[in-house]
Amino acid sequence: MTSKMPASYSIVVESKTSAVTDVFQQIQAKLVEHNFGKDDIFAVHLTLEEAFLNAVKHGNKLDPSKKVKVDYSIDAEKVEISITDQGPGFRPENVEDPRLGENLFKPGGRGLLLMNSYMDMVKFNEQGNSVSMVRYKEKPYLTKNPDS
Amino acid sequence: MATIQPNIAVEYAENATIVSFTDEKILEEKDIYSLQESIMSVIEQAERINLILDFGNVKFLSSAVLGLLIRVSKRIYERDGHLRLCNIDPKIYEIFKITRLTKTFDIYKNVESATKDLS
């Protein structure tokens, strides 16, 4: 029986919102390779967009001299993504619930809610400038072929 | 039907203006800003607009687009108009549900049902 170590990758990109496109394309290719379905890919795409935008705007404050680091690993069961910015960090517990009261009519503040909704685990480091997210494959691809 | 920039198509029906998003993905910040400018200019052209936003082509969007919709809806209500959304892909509808925006926006199955009962 062959055992595969989860493939891990690390990318450092410019702190601009358009940089997430290439990052997602790389991750998407690996998700397809590991038989993740459309729902999983949609979820990863959405959360990556939201987390990356937070890193560029709220973390690095649109400072073009700063970078965003994306680490990810994918195996047959799950995808793990960490996004780290060079900002001072924030406290996620201080973010108001966008579904309540007047917040429902505010243009922003929904990214964290979507990340928490589409990922199975979302965790920030103590400083609050790095978020790690895990999503388990929606319908595990069951096979008796150890080589697949 | 008039095409404004590459991002929306506008159809002026009898009792409503129907704006269709032509892109499959709405993500880039500059695209969202340009979309907002285009939609706002359509709103400003009418004294009191019944605007239907058709999401039929859209397969992916981020929360930045939800912000755009909130801003558009505020402008329309300020001008005593109506906003209706339609043809929303089930995956995108889920985003509206999670964020509870299904409670603030009037969402219809298709353009036909969205144009009903508008005066």
Side-chain angles (χ1 to χ4, degrees):
Chain A
M1 187 184 289
T2 56
S3 69
K4 285 183 182 175
M5 289 288 288
S8 296
Y9 306 89
S10 189
I11 321 165
V12 177
V13 294
E14 282 184 82
S15 189
K16 56 179 188 183
T17 54
S18 58
V20 73
T21 307
D22 285 346
V23 175
F24 173 66
Q25 280 175 357
Q26 288 184 39
I27 295 177
Q28 184 183 26
K30 302 284 184 251
L31 290 171
V32 170
E33 234 174 70
H34 285 86
N35 299 305
F36 279 78
K38 284 182 181 170
D39 286 352
D40 291 314
I41 292 172
F42 183 93
V44 170
H45 191 182
L46 182 64
T47 49
L48 185 69
E49 288 281 344
E50 301 295 342
F52 197 90
L53 191 72
N54 282 347
V56 171
K57 275 190 151 176
H58 306 302
N60 289 343
K61 310 276 186 210
L62 299 169
D63 180 346
S65 69
K66 290 185 171 168
K67 303 281 182 195
V68 178
K69 185 165 172 270
V70 181
D71 297 286
Y72 67 95
S73 71
I74 299 171
D75 62 24
E77 290 164 4
K78 66 181 186 302
V79 48
E80 297 183 62
I81 302 174
S82 296
I83 296 177
T84 308
D85 61 59
Q86 295 181 302
F90 81 115
R91 301 192 74 81
E93 62 271 24
N94 291 346
V95 175
E96 290 185 47
D97 189 332
R99 299 167 298 183
L100 300 179
E102 287 298 308
N103 295 343
L104 199 52
F105 303 97
K106 288 182 182 169
R110 295 179 177 84
L112 191 56
L113 168 66
L114 291 174
M115 286 156 63
N116 280 314
S117 302
Y118 280 87
M119 290 306 229
D120 293 309
M121 189 212 79
V122 176
K123 199 177 163 189
F124 285 84
N125 66 352
E126 204 172 318
Q127 189 185 326
N129 71 330
S130 181
V131 60
S132 300
M133 307 179 287
V134 179
R135 181 173 167 109
Y136 289 88
K137 193 183 280 182
E138 193 65 44
K139 287 173 185 167
Y141 183 73
L142 300 173
T143 176
K144 289 181 178 175
N145 180 358
D147 294 322
S148 64
Chain B
M1 187 180 289
T3 303
I4 295 179
Q5 301 194 346
N7 299 316
I8 57 170
V10 186
E11 185 182 344
Y12 298 95
E14 193 184 335
N15 58 351
T17 303
I18 302 152
V19 167
S20 308
F21 296 103
T22 52
D23 294 334
E24 197 170 292
K25 291 180 183 178
I26 311 175
L27 286 171
E28 282 282 329
E29 204 170 44
K30 62 176 171 51
D31 291 343
I32 292 171
Y33 181 76
S34 133
L35 264 179
Q36 184 172 313
E37 292 292 296
S38 303
I39 296 170
M40 291 299 192
S41 79
V42 171
I43 296 168
E44 303 296 339
Q45 280 166 28
E47 198 174 313
R48 180 180 161 275
I49 198 168
N50 289 328
L51 183 69
I52 294 169
L53 291 178
D54 182 354
F55 284 78
N57 297 315
V58 183
K59 299 293 172 214
F60 191 87
L61 53 76
S62 66
S63 68
V65 178
L66 303 179
L68 173 155
L69 294 175
I70 301 264
R71 285 188 284 268
V72 163
S73 71
K74 281 183 177 168
R75 179 70 61 89
I76 290 175
Y77 296 137
E78 278 166 13
R79 296 169 67 91
D80 203 24
H82 292 100
L83 173 66
R84 292 178 173 182
L85 316 182
C86 69
N87 268 330
I88 298 180
D89 180 272
K91 279 198 177 73
I92 293 175
Y93 187 76
E94 188 66 25
I95 296 176
F96 281 84
K97 263 174 68 179
I98 289 167
T99 53
R100 281 200 198 150
L101 288 177
T102 45
K103 310 276 184 197
T104 49
F105 290 115
D106 292 328
I107 300 177
Y108 290 77
K109 194 176 176 188
N110 50 38
V111 173
E112 194 186 4
S113 57
T115 44
K116 269 186 190 165
D117 310 324
L118 277 171
S119 54

